[in-house]
Amino acid sequence: MLPYYEDRSPGSGVLPPRAWFAASDARRISLHGTWRFRFAATATEHDDSFTRPDFDDSRWQNLLVPGTWALKGHGAPAYTNTAYPFPVDPPRVPDENPTGDHRHVFDLPDGWGEGPAVLHFGGVESCARVWLNGQELGHFKGSRLPHEFEVGHLLRPRGNVLAVRVHQWSSGSYLEDQDQWWLPGIFRNVTVQRRPRGSVVDHFVHAGFDHVTGEGTLRVECAPAGRVTVPELGLDLATGESATISVRPWSSEEPHLYDGELVTPGERIPLRIGFRTVRVEDGLLKVNGRRILLRGVNRHEFHPRYGRTLGPEAMRRDLVLMKRHNINAVRTSHYPPHPAFLDLCDELGLWVIDECDLETHGFGQQGWRGNPVDDERWEPALLDRARRMVERDKNHPSIVLWSLGNECGTGRGLSAMAAWMRERDPSRPLHYEGDRSCADTDVYSRMYAGHAEVERIGRREEEPLTDPELDTRRRQLPFLLCEYGHAMGNGPGGLSEYQRLFERYERCQGGFVWEWIDHGLRQLTPDGEVFHAYGGDFGEELHDGNFVCDGLVFPDRVPSPGLVEFKKVIEPVRIEGVTGGAGPGGTVRITNLHDFAGLGHLEFRWSYEVAGEGRGCGWLEVPPLAPGESAEVELTAPPVEEGDTGEAWWTVRAVLAEDTPWADAGHEVAWGQLPAPALPAPAPPEHVRAAPRRGEGNVIVLGPGTFDAGTGALRYLDGVQLTGPRLEVWRAPTDNDEGAAWLPGPHPAAEWRRIGLHRMRHRVDAVETGPDTLVVRTRVAPAATDLALRTVYRWTAEGGLLRLEVAVDPEGDWPGPLPRLGVRMAVCESLGLAQWFGGGPGEGYPDTRAAARVGRWSMPVDALQTPYVRPQENGARPDVRWAELTGSNGAGLRIEGDPHFSFTARRWPVEELTAARHTTDLTPGDRIWLYLDHAQHGIGSGSCGPGVLPQHRLEVAPARFTFGFSSLGQ
Ligand code: IPT
């Protein structure tokens, strides 16, 4: 006989699952707060005498519930992606089984009354055994699912003693192999709820919408019977009875909820009703008769201090940030979230895929032998999980798909779950990615498919399945990417190209970026500096490093550049310049990319800038546009000022006209830029070219430049001391450069290291002076190969401007792309303020630059850095025309590029960035390092998906580029 925590049963003594509701007139108390706690390294270290009410726990410690003991100094967090951190021998678990005994004494509020009551656990990882007032109630598994016990008969007004024993490992752990930290404990709230006689045992709100008639049909099933009222609709009907009436439908864009009330003989509960109908028809996933486009993210529940315990503020913050970044869908990867999160999705408007708490990914490493999903002995546990999710969450209009789970192979158990779900809730289609045949699902879902394959799927021309019947069926299903755009570190790249496919092929209904948040745990260095820890930082014997940090927001929920990029790529209004348009200043095309909404909630504003300086702004009249429609709008004559020269740009922005629950009026939803009619080019300064001359101390002076006569290196530009520009091809590999071990290589970073791009040698072959030039001929190459980049630096000077032309000619048979191609130099640390005209304000790389807008930007060098949890290449500003670095007195250096360049400035050289493991490993030196790149290799999504698209690769080829340097304020 196996102990309860190892047997396959989902639990014992637990009540059947029921719909969750946030409020009711039946009383409830929360037991959150300080509990007594005792830790043991094994499941059997202590007997169960602690469950007796009179047990003396004075020598125990305090622990905050909800929470995880692993972040409170007992045991430690551990991170693995797919590997089980224990021998795979289901359903057995190791002897080392961290176990937490919890005790909590509570009183009932005055007037609580007699009768039934339930003890509710929102989430406990991974197995709990429960006693109240010395009486055993039972045990349960299923960490992110609710469990309840009947306790009315045991409660007393004062001094109730709740005892809970929680084991980190149980048979349930085999079903919970999601890619995240293992964090045992009572991590969601515990409540006691009165269930007066005649109160709601369970209820199911059915609220469909007929887009042809514009009518909604409401029917509420309830045990026991009662009445439902919806005052705004004038409805007052019996449960079980249906009413059809004209309504405003619910959608993610217009999440209209009707307040109602369900009244049974023993209870009143508020309802929030959203009318919508989800269907798969004509090969498309439709809501209220229309194809929807999912602009989604995968969201784990994560907090850098509290693990998977999230308060209402953090949940709302996630959703507000999502809405502000044009995200309209969430996949609750890979388990049902806290139910309050779903209430917020209903309220704020998000399409939700609610996913069951099921993943058995580690069996993949065993060739799927012994997979519980294909073993009937596990079926009760699987069905229990399906039931607990569907029953708890069935009343949320935001949930449009049920997902069977993630990465658990295929098998009878999944089919049984699917059959049960279909029967219980035919109103929602089913999702599961792990079965390519789609036998149990209603949508074809994939993760990390590359662009070319998505395009084939979009044309319904994908590789056939071997079973022709299943193939025909699948070919008619709508397609979504339940995971794509792996947001690990710098990136993801290639989002724009995916979006074009989603817009072009109606079958491709969008997807969910992996993932929302970096799961970095907040830690302090011995000096008290904050950093975020990842796998291996807690001494785990098996771990997957920083693969746990792959979100669009940093652990502290600050948006990363990836989120800013995603917002731009998925914006629901497109604003683009029309070439040859009729407007005197130009013409813009405005396209409404919403699925349901018009543009009435938006206002359009234009601004006009010359060389990055504002010349005027105003409102733009845009005609009403239904979803999918577009219009051309003419711009007025630009407000040019006398003497304006150079580049002029229009920026047109769509902003919220009124406050919404997630952003204030004026919040920018979408934008576009277009060049305005050309202005005269600035008159070139008339200077003669300077002639080089020998100076004192073995230097060559050319205009404002002083060079080392032996090496040809620039030492000074007027009074500014420099470490001369020289060729640089290395960048600190990004996670996407490193690539995923299980994807076919070679991955770019490994190739770059193999060739030796991080240890290039520079040989000076000649320093030659001509009448007005200084030419430095070099060969830049790594040891052990005959590959090289012949690099010639040709210097000229006119007035205060020193010009550098770089000519790079490759030698040898280069096998792949370069990380970057440009020059690096260093200046004094005091030049800490950067200003530039070009792409900004955030970073941008060839395939992550949709969000960079042309403008004049200014920020301290420190603010140019992006603090990726594992340090790596970051912070480049694309398309820079000129950049300046100045000190507090305004003096400094100006750089002009021809053509435009990519500009990076940081207080450490690339070697230190490459070596750093955590942000706190980087310490400012006495110089600022500048990287002026003619080109960078794209970013891609190779950390778990396709690499850089051909058009964004930096192939090795001859290159010519020019920089102009001048000093400022000397
Ligand atoms: C996929 C998982 O579903 C997800 O949980 C996460 O691990 C993600 O990858 C990578 O961060 S599975 C992957 C092996 C394709």
Side-chain angles (χ1 to χ4, degrees), residues 79 81-82 178-179 300 331 333-334 359 361 406-407 433 447-448 483 486 514-515 547 550 742 943-944:
Y79 166 58
N81 169 11
T82 65
Q178 292 94 344
D179 175 8
H300 267 291
R331 173 176 177 233
S333 54
H334 299 299
E359 172 156 347
H361 210 157
N406 184 59
E407 294 281 14
E433 186 273 347
M447 44 173 81
Y448 309 109
E483 294 177 25
H486 198 250
W514 186 268
E515 66 176 307
F547 203 66
D550 49 7
W742 60 88
S943 55
C944 188

PDB file of all heavy atoms in Angstrom, residues 79 81-82 178-179 300 331 333-334 359 361 406-407 433 447-448 483 486 514-515 547 550 742 943-944, ligand 1:
ATOM      1  N   TYR A  79      14.680  25.087 -10.067  1.00  0.00           N
ATOM      2  CA  TYR A  79      14.111  25.282 -11.396  1.00  0.00           C
ATOM      3  C   TYR A  79      14.561  24.198 -12.366  1.00  0.00           C
ATOM      4  O   TYR A  79      15.761  24.016 -12.578  1.00  0.00           O
ATOM      5  CB  TYR A  79      14.489  26.660 -11.963  1.00  0.00           C
ATOM      6  CG  TYR A  79      14.206  26.750 -13.450  1.00  0.00           C
ATOM      7  CD1 TYR A  79      12.910  26.526 -13.923  1.00  0.00           C
ATOM      8  CD2 TYR A  79      15.210  26.978 -14.376  1.00  0.00           C
ATOM      9  CE1 TYR A  79      12.630  26.546 -15.278  1.00  0.00           C
ATOM     10  CE2 TYR A  79      14.939  27.002 -15.743  1.00  0.00           C
ATOM     11  CZ  TYR A  79      13.649  26.778 -16.178  1.00  0.00           C
ATOM     12  OH  TYR A  79      13.364  26.777 -17.516  1.00  0.00           O
ATOM     13  N   ASN A  81      13.194  22.831 -16.380  1.00  0.00           N
ATOM     14  CA  ASN A  81      12.248  23.022 -17.477  1.00  0.00           C
ATOM     15  C   ASN A  81      11.430  21.744 -17.643  1.00  0.00           C
ATOM     16  O   ASN A  81      10.303  21.650 -17.163  1.00  0.00           O
ATOM     17  CB  ASN A  81      13.038  23.405 -18.732  1.00  0.00           C
ATOM     18  CG  ASN A  81      12.205  23.371 -20.003  1.00  0.00           C
ATOM     19  OD1 ASN A  81      10.991  23.258 -19.955  1.00  0.00           O
ATOM     20  ND2 ASN A  81      12.856  23.470 -21.140  1.00  0.00           N
ATOM     21  N   THR A  82      12.009  20.727 -18.260  1.00  0.00           N
ATOM     22  CA  THR A  82      11.215  19.511 -18.470  1.00  0.00           C
ATOM     23  C   THR A  82      11.651  18.361 -17.562  1.00  0.00           C
ATOM     24  O   THR A  82      10.877  17.431 -17.348  1.00  0.00           O
ATOM     25  CB  THR A  82      11.316  19.037 -19.936  1.00  0.00           C
ATOM     26  OG1 THR A  82      12.662  18.660 -20.209  1.00  0.00           O
ATOM     27  CG2 THR A  82      10.912  20.132 -20.886  1.00  0.00           C
ATOM     28  N   GLN A 178       5.414  21.454 -15.270  1.00  0.00           N
ATOM     29  CA  GLN A 178       5.504  22.692 -16.038  1.00  0.00           C
ATOM     30  C   GLN A 178       6.890  23.317 -15.892  1.00  0.00           C
ATOM     31  O   GLN A 178       7.568  23.111 -14.889  1.00  0.00           O
ATOM     32  CB  GLN A 178       4.437  23.687 -15.545  1.00  0.00           C
ATOM     33  CG  GLN A 178       3.012  23.259 -15.848  1.00  0.00           C
ATOM     34  CD  GLN A 178       2.343  22.510 -14.714  1.00  0.00           C
ATOM     35  OE1 GLN A 178       3.008  22.033 -13.787  1.00  0.00           O
ATOM     36  NE2 GLN A 178       1.032  22.387 -14.769  1.00  0.00           N
ATOM     37  N   ASP A 179       7.237  24.076 -16.898  1.00  0.00           N
ATOM     38  CA  ASP A 179       8.534  24.760 -16.948  1.00  0.00           C
ATOM     39  C   ASP A 179       8.491  25.964 -16.000  1.00  0.00           C
ATOM     40  O   ASP A 179       8.112  27.066 -16.398  1.00  0.00           O
ATOM     41  CB  ASP A 179       8.761  25.200 -18.406  1.00  0.00           C
ATOM     42  CG  ASP A 179      10.004  26.035 -18.580  1.00  0.00           C
ATOM     43  OD1 ASP A 179      10.793  26.159 -17.629  1.00  0.00           O
ATOM     44  OD2 ASP A 179      10.183  26.581 -19.687  1.00  0.00           O
ATOM     45  N   HIS A 300       2.211  32.869 -16.777  1.00  0.00           N
ATOM     46  CA  HIS A 300       2.371  32.102 -15.554  1.00  0.00           C
ATOM     47  C   HIS A 300       2.044  33.035 -14.410  1.00  0.00           C
ATOM     48  O   HIS A 300       2.189  34.251 -14.522  1.00  0.00           O
ATOM     49  CB  HIS A 300       3.829  31.666 -15.384  1.00  0.00           C
ATOM     50  CG  HIS A 300       4.148  30.313 -15.926  1.00  0.00           C
ATOM     51  ND1 HIS A 300       3.671  29.158 -15.354  1.00  0.00           N
ATOM     52  CD2 HIS A 300       4.911  29.919 -16.971  1.00  0.00           C
ATOM     53  CE1 HIS A 300       4.144  28.113 -16.031  1.00  0.00           C
ATOM     54  NE2 HIS A 300       4.891  28.551 -17.020  1.00  0.00           N
ATOM     55  N   ARG A 331      -3.246  33.021 -22.541  1.00  0.00           N
ATOM     56  CA  ARG A 331      -3.319  31.579 -22.291  1.00  0.00           C
ATOM     57  C   ARG A 331      -2.800  31.405 -20.875  1.00  0.00           C
ATOM     58  O   ARG A 331      -1.693  31.859 -20.558  1.00  0.00           O
ATOM     59  CB  ARG A 331      -2.473  30.820 -23.291  1.00  0.00           C
ATOM     60  CG  ARG A 331      -2.344  29.318 -23.014  1.00  0.00           C
ATOM     61  CD  ARG A 331      -1.552  28.682 -24.145  1.00  0.00           C
ATOM     62  NE  ARG A 331      -1.293  27.281 -23.976  1.00  0.00           N
ATOM     63  CZ  ARG A 331      -0.064  26.733 -24.051  1.00  0.00           C
ATOM     64  NH1 ARG A 331       1.007  27.505 -24.257  1.00  0.00           N
ATOM     65  NH2 ARG A 331       0.104  25.438 -23.935  1.00  0.00           N
ATOM     66  N   SER A 333      -1.028  29.657 -19.038  1.00  0.00           N
ATOM     67  CA  SER A 333      -0.038  28.583 -19.060  1.00  0.00           C
ATOM     68  C   SER A 333       0.495  28.331 -17.656  1.00  0.00           C
ATOM     69  O   SER A 333       0.911  29.270 -17.009  1.00  0.00           O
ATOM     70  CB  SER A 333       1.106  28.961 -19.976  1.00  0.00           C
ATOM     71  OG  SER A 333       1.616  30.223 -19.586  1.00  0.00           O
ATOM     72  N   HIS A 334       0.548  27.132 -17.223  1.00  0.00           N
ATOM     73  CA  HIS A 334      -0.082  25.947 -17.789  1.00  0.00           C
ATOM     74  C   HIS A 334      -0.984  25.338 -16.717  1.00  0.00           C
ATOM     75  O   HIS A 334      -0.841  24.184 -16.355  1.00  0.00           O
ATOM     76  CB  HIS A 334       0.955  24.914 -18.205  1.00  0.00           C
ATOM     77  CG  HIS A 334       1.915  25.377 -19.260  1.00  0.00           C
ATOM     78  ND1 HIS A 334       1.517  25.777 -20.523  1.00  0.00           N
ATOM     79  CD2 HIS A 334       3.254  25.488 -19.255  1.00  0.00           C
ATOM     80  CE1 HIS A 334       2.580  26.112 -21.241  1.00  0.00           C
ATOM     81  NE2 HIS A 334       3.647  25.959 -20.512  1.00  0.00           N
ATOM     82  N   GLU A 359       0.846  18.665 -16.982  1.00  0.00           N
ATOM     83  CA  GLU A 359       1.999  18.565 -17.886  1.00  0.00           C
ATOM     84  C   GLU A 359       2.862  17.395 -17.412  1.00  0.00           C
ATOM     85  O   GLU A 359       3.184  17.287 -16.230  1.00  0.00           O
ATOM     86  CB  GLU A 359       2.807  19.871 -17.914  1.00  0.00           C
ATOM     87  CG  GLU A 359       4.112  19.716 -18.687  1.00  0.00           C
ATOM     88  CD  GLU A 359       4.700  21.006 -19.271  1.00  0.00           C
ATOM     89  OE1 GLU A 359       4.009  22.042 -19.307  1.00  0.00           O
ATOM     90  OE2 GLU A 359       5.867  20.952 -19.688  1.00  0.00           O
ATOM     91  N   HIS A 361       5.811  16.549 -19.181  1.00  0.00           N
ATOM     92  CA  HIS A 361       6.858  16.742 -20.179  1.00  0.00           C
ATOM     93  C   HIS A 361       8.092  15.861 -19.944  1.00  0.00           C
ATOM     94  O   HIS A 361       8.736  15.404 -20.887  1.00  0.00           O
ATOM     95  CB  HIS A 361       7.271  18.221 -20.129  1.00  0.00           C
ATOM     96  CG  HIS A 361       7.746  18.761 -21.423  1.00  0.00           C
ATOM     97  ND1 HIS A 361       7.729  20.094 -21.717  1.00  0.00           N
ATOM     98  CD2 HIS A 361       8.277  18.162 -22.515  1.00  0.00           C
ATOM     99  CE1 HIS A 361       8.224  20.288 -22.926  1.00  0.00           C
ATOM    100  NE2 HIS A 361       8.560  19.130 -23.431  1.00  0.00           N
ATOM    101  N   ASN A 406      -0.652  20.930 -21.119  1.00  0.00           N
ATOM    102  CA  ASN A 406       0.488  21.272 -21.966  1.00  0.00           C
ATOM    103  C   ASN A 406       1.475  20.120 -21.978  1.00  0.00           C
ATOM    104  O   ASN A 406       1.706  19.492 -20.939  1.00  0.00           O
ATOM    105  CB  ASN A 406       1.175  22.523 -21.412  1.00  0.00           C
ATOM    106  CG  ASN A 406       2.320  22.998 -22.295  1.00  0.00           C
ATOM    107  OD1 ASN A 406       2.102  23.299 -23.470  1.00  0.00           O
ATOM    108  ND2 ASN A 406       3.520  23.057 -21.744  1.00  0.00           N
ATOM    109  N   GLU A 407       2.057  19.857 -23.114  1.00  0.00           N
ATOM    110  CA  GLU A 407       3.206  18.961 -23.217  1.00  0.00           C
ATOM    111  C   GLU A 407       3.037  17.698 -22.377  1.00  0.00           C
ATOM    112  O   GLU A 407       3.803  17.454 -21.457  1.00  0.00           O
ATOM    113  CB  GLU A 407       4.484  19.694 -22.789  1.00  0.00           C
ATOM    114  CG  GLU A 407       4.871  20.824 -23.720  1.00  0.00           C
ATOM    115  CD  GLU A 407       5.569  20.359 -24.987  1.00  0.00           C
ATOM    116  OE1 GLU A 407       5.538  19.153 -25.282  1.00  0.00           O
ATOM    117  OE2 GLU A 407       6.130  21.228 -25.677  1.00  0.00           O
ATOM    118  N   GLU A 433      -2.089  21.325 -27.600  1.00  0.00           N
ATOM    119  CA  GLU A 433      -1.069  21.456 -28.645  1.00  0.00           C
ATOM    120  C   GLU A 433      -0.349  20.152 -28.935  1.00  0.00           C
ATOM    121  O   GLU A 433       0.145  19.931 -30.040  1.00  0.00           O
ATOM    122  CB  GLU A 433      -0.082  22.548 -28.222  1.00  0.00           C
ATOM    123  CG  GLU A 433       0.955  22.914 -29.257  1.00  0.00           C
ATOM    124  CD  GLU A 433       2.194  22.046 -29.220  1.00  0.00           C
ATOM    125  OE1 GLU A 433       2.382  21.290 -28.239  1.00  0.00           O
ATOM    126  OE2 GLU A 433       2.979  22.107 -30.178  1.00  0.00           O
ATOM    127  N   MET A 447       3.360  25.186 -31.387  1.00  0.00           N
ATOM    128  CA  MET A 447       4.264  26.124 -30.745  1.00  0.00           C
ATOM    129  C   MET A 447       5.547  26.272 -31.547  1.00  0.00           C
ATOM    130  O   MET A 447       6.075  25.297 -32.067  1.00  0.00           O
ATOM    131  CB  MET A 447       4.560  25.751 -29.286  1.00  0.00           C
ATOM    132  CG  MET A 447       4.860  24.294 -28.995  1.00  0.00           C
ATOM    133  SD  MET A 447       5.386  24.034 -27.267  1.00  0.00           S
ATOM    134  CE  MET A 447       3.836  24.014 -26.389  1.00  0.00           C
ATOM    135  N   TYR A 448       5.983  27.502 -31.692  1.00  0.00           N
ATOM    136  CA  TYR A 448       7.281  27.851 -32.290  1.00  0.00           C
ATOM    137  C   TYR A 448       7.453  27.449 -33.747  1.00  0.00           C
ATOM    138  O   TYR A 448       8.580  27.348 -34.229  1.00  0.00           O
ATOM    139  CB  TYR A 448       8.431  27.295 -31.434  1.00  0.00           C
ATOM    140  CG  TYR A 448       8.281  27.680 -29.990  1.00  0.00           C
ATOM    141  CD1 TYR A 448       7.934  26.746 -29.013  1.00  0.00           C
ATOM    142  CD2 TYR A 448       8.418  29.002 -29.608  1.00  0.00           C
ATOM    143  CE1 TYR A 448       7.745  27.124 -27.691  1.00  0.00           C
ATOM    144  CE2 TYR A 448       8.238  29.389 -28.279  1.00  0.00           C
ATOM    145  CZ  TYR A 448       7.902  28.436 -27.334  1.00  0.00           C
ATOM    146  OH  TYR A 448       7.711  28.814 -26.036  1.00  0.00           O
ATOM    147  N   GLU A 483       2.193  29.069 -28.564  1.00  0.00           N
ATOM    148  CA  GLU A 483       3.434  29.689 -28.107  1.00  0.00           C
ATOM    149  C   GLU A 483       4.218  30.099 -29.347  1.00  0.00           C
ATOM    150  O   GLU A 483       4.343  29.308 -30.283  1.00  0.00           O
ATOM    151  CB  GLU A 483       4.273  28.718 -27.264  1.00  0.00           C
ATOM    152  CG  GLU A 483       3.609  28.349 -25.950  1.00  0.00           C
ATOM    153  CD  GLU A 483       4.388  27.324 -25.113  1.00  0.00           C
ATOM    154  OE1 GLU A 483       5.614  27.219 -25.263  1.00  0.00           O
ATOM    155  OE2 GLU A 483       3.728  26.630 -24.318  1.00  0.00           O
ATOM    156  N   HIS A 486       9.751  33.612 -28.632  1.00  0.00           N
ATOM    157  CA  HIS A 486      10.280  33.265 -27.307  1.00  0.00           C
ATOM    158  C   HIS A 486      11.000  34.477 -26.717  1.00  0.00           C
ATOM    159  O   HIS A 486      12.095  34.833 -27.156  1.00  0.00           O
ATOM    160  CB  HIS A 486      11.231  32.076 -27.454  1.00  0.00           C
ATOM    161  CG  HIS A 486      11.498  31.375 -26.184  1.00  0.00           C
ATOM    162  ND1 HIS A 486      12.718  31.419 -25.552  1.00  0.00           N
ATOM    163  CD2 HIS A 486      10.689  30.630 -25.404  1.00  0.00           C
ATOM    164  CE1 HIS A 486      12.649  30.711 -24.439  1.00  0.00           C
ATOM    165  NE2 HIS A 486      11.436  30.219 -24.335  1.00  0.00           N
ATOM    166  N   TRP A 514       5.491  33.557 -25.965  1.00  0.00           N
ATOM    167  CA  TRP A 514       6.020  32.917 -24.768  1.00  0.00           C
ATOM    168  C   TRP A 514       7.074  33.833 -24.176  1.00  0.00           C
ATOM    169  O   TRP A 514       8.097  33.999 -24.809  1.00  0.00           O
ATOM    170  CB  TRP A 514       6.635  31.535 -25.057  1.00  0.00           C
ATOM    171  CG  TRP A 514       7.000  30.931 -23.745  1.00  0.00           C
ATOM    172  CD1 TRP A 514       8.211  31.019 -23.102  1.00  0.00           C
ATOM    173  CD2 TRP A 514       6.124  30.245 -22.848  1.00  0.00           C
ATOM    174  NE1 TRP A 514       8.140  30.441 -21.863  1.00  0.00           N
ATOM    175  CE2 TRP A 514       6.868  29.957 -21.683  1.00  0.00           C
ATOM    176  CE3 TRP A 514       4.766  29.876 -22.911  1.00  0.00           C
ATOM    177  CZ2 TRP A 514       6.312  29.296 -20.589  1.00  0.00           C
ATOM    178  CZ3 TRP A 514       4.221  29.215 -21.822  1.00  0.00           C
ATOM    179  CH2 TRP A 514       4.995  28.923 -20.687  1.00  0.00           C
ATOM    180  N   GLU A 515       6.912  34.397 -23.054  1.00  0.00           N
ATOM    181  CA  GLU A 515       5.803  34.406 -22.166  1.00  0.00           C
ATOM    182  C   GLU A 515       5.678  35.776 -21.554  1.00  0.00           C
ATOM    183  O   GLU A 515       6.404  36.675 -21.937  1.00  0.00           O
ATOM    184  CB  GLU A 515       5.972  33.328 -21.058  1.00  0.00           C
ATOM    185  CG  GLU A 515       7.146  33.639 -20.123  1.00  0.00           C
ATOM    186  CD  GLU A 515       7.273  32.639 -18.969  1.00  0.00           C
ATOM    187  OE1 GLU A 515       6.300  32.406 -18.238  1.00  0.00           O
ATOM    188  OE2 GLU A 515       8.388  32.109 -18.810  1.00  0.00           O
ATOM    189  N   PHE A 547      16.628  29.798 -18.478  1.00  0.00           N
ATOM    190  CA  PHE A 547      15.501  29.508 -19.371  1.00  0.00           C
ATOM    191  C   PHE A 547      14.165  29.889 -18.710  1.00  0.00           C
ATOM    192  O   PHE A 547      13.133  29.968 -19.358  1.00  0.00           O
ATOM    193  CB  PHE A 547      15.518  28.018 -19.731  1.00  0.00           C
ATOM    194  CG  PHE A 547      14.798  27.684 -21.010  1.00  0.00           C
ATOM    195  CD1 PHE A 547      15.270  28.151 -22.234  1.00  0.00           C
ATOM    196  CD2 PHE A 547      13.660  26.901 -20.998  1.00  0.00           C
ATOM    197  CE1 PHE A 547      14.601  27.840 -23.415  1.00  0.00           C
ATOM    198  CE2 PHE A 547      12.992  26.578 -22.174  1.00  0.00           C
ATOM    199  CZ  PHE A 547      13.465  27.047 -23.382  1.00  0.00           C
ATOM    200  N   ASP A 550      12.102  34.408 -19.513  1.00  0.00           N
ATOM    201  CA  ASP A 550      11.796  34.531 -20.935  1.00  0.00           C
ATOM    202  C   ASP A 550      10.494  35.296 -21.145  1.00  0.00           C
ATOM    203  O   ASP A 550       9.650  34.905 -21.940  1.00  0.00           O
ATOM    204  CB  ASP A 550      11.752  33.149 -21.606  1.00  0.00           C
ATOM    205  CG  ASP A 550      10.892  32.159 -20.840  1.00  0.00           C
ATOM    206  OD1 ASP A 550      10.236  32.571 -19.867  1.00  0.00           O
ATOM    207  OD2 ASP A 550      10.866  30.980 -21.223  1.00  0.00           O
ATOM    208  N   TRP A 742      18.124  21.598 -27.868  1.00  0.00           N
ATOM    209  CA  TRP A 742      17.399  20.529 -28.564  1.00  0.00           C
ATOM    210  C   TRP A 742      17.012  20.909 -30.001  1.00  0.00           C
ATOM    211  O   TRP A 742      16.432  20.107 -30.713  1.00  0.00           O
ATOM    212  CB  TRP A 742      16.146  20.114 -27.776  1.00  0.00           C
ATOM    213  CG  TRP A 742      15.187  21.240 -27.590  1.00  0.00           C
ATOM    214  CD1 TRP A 742      14.187  21.636 -28.427  1.00  0.00           C
ATOM    215  CD2 TRP A 742      15.150  22.136 -26.482  1.00  0.00           C
ATOM    216  NE1 TRP A 742      13.545  22.729 -27.918  1.00  0.00           N
ATOM    217  CE2 TRP A 742      14.102  23.051 -26.725  1.00  0.00           C
ATOM    218  CE3 TRP A 742      15.902  22.251 -25.305  1.00  0.00           C
ATOM    219  CZ2 TRP A 742      13.793  24.079 -25.834  1.00  0.00           C
ATOM    220  CZ3 TRP A 742      15.579  23.272 -24.417  1.00  0.00           C
ATOM    221  CH2 TRP A 742      14.548  24.163 -24.677  1.00  0.00           C
ATOM    222  N   SER A 943      16.207  30.874 -29.094  1.00  0.00           N
ATOM    223  CA  SER A 943      16.314  30.269 -27.771  1.00  0.00           C
ATOM    224  C   SER A 943      15.244  29.198 -27.590  1.00  0.00           C
ATOM    225  O   SER A 943      15.347  28.359 -26.695  1.00  0.00           O
ATOM    226  CB  SER A 943      16.211  31.326 -26.679  1.00  0.00           C
ATOM    227  OG  SER A 943      15.030  32.077 -26.831  1.00  0.00           O
ATOM    228  N   CYS A 944      14.208  29.241 -28.405  1.00  0.00           N
ATOM    229  CA  CYS A 944      13.213  28.166 -28.406  1.00  0.00           C
ATOM    230  C   CYS A 944      12.344  28.341 -29.641  1.00  0.00           C
ATOM    231  O   CYS A 944      11.148  28.516 -29.540  1.00  0.00           O
ATOM    232  CB  CYS A 944      12.359  28.218 -27.139  1.00  0.00           C
ATOM    233  SG  CYS A 944      11.267  26.804 -26.974  1.00  0.00           S
TER     234      CYS A 944
HETATM  235  C1  IPT B   1       7.426  25.028 -24.310  1.00  0.00           C
HETATM  236  C2  IPT B   1       6.623  24.884 -23.060  1.00  0.00           C
HETATM  237  O1  IPT B   1       5.286  24.636 -23.332  1.00  0.00           O
HETATM  238  C3  IPT B   1       6.717  26.062 -22.171  1.00  0.00           C
HETATM  239  O2  IPT B   1       6.230  25.703 -20.897  1.00  0.00           O
HETATM  240  C4  IPT B   1       8.102  26.582 -22.081  1.00  0.00           C
HETATM  241  O3  IPT B   1       8.922  25.586 -21.553  1.00  0.00           O
HETATM  242  C5  IPT B   1       8.565  26.928 -23.447  1.00  0.00           C
HETATM  243  O4  IPT B   1       8.520  25.833 -24.275  1.00  0.00           O
HETATM  244  C6  IPT B   1       9.987  27.414 -23.476  1.00  0.00           C
HETATM  245  O5  IPT B   1      10.261  28.449 -22.629  1.00  0.00           O
HETATM  246  S1  IPT B   1       8.038  23.430 -24.662  1.00  0.00           S
HETATM  247  C7  IPT B   1       9.435  23.600 -25.686  1.00  0.00           C
HETATM  248  C8  IPT B   1      10.301  22.405 -25.519  1.00  0.00           C
HETATM  249  C9  IPT B   1       9.056  23.725 -27.116  1.00  0.00           C
END
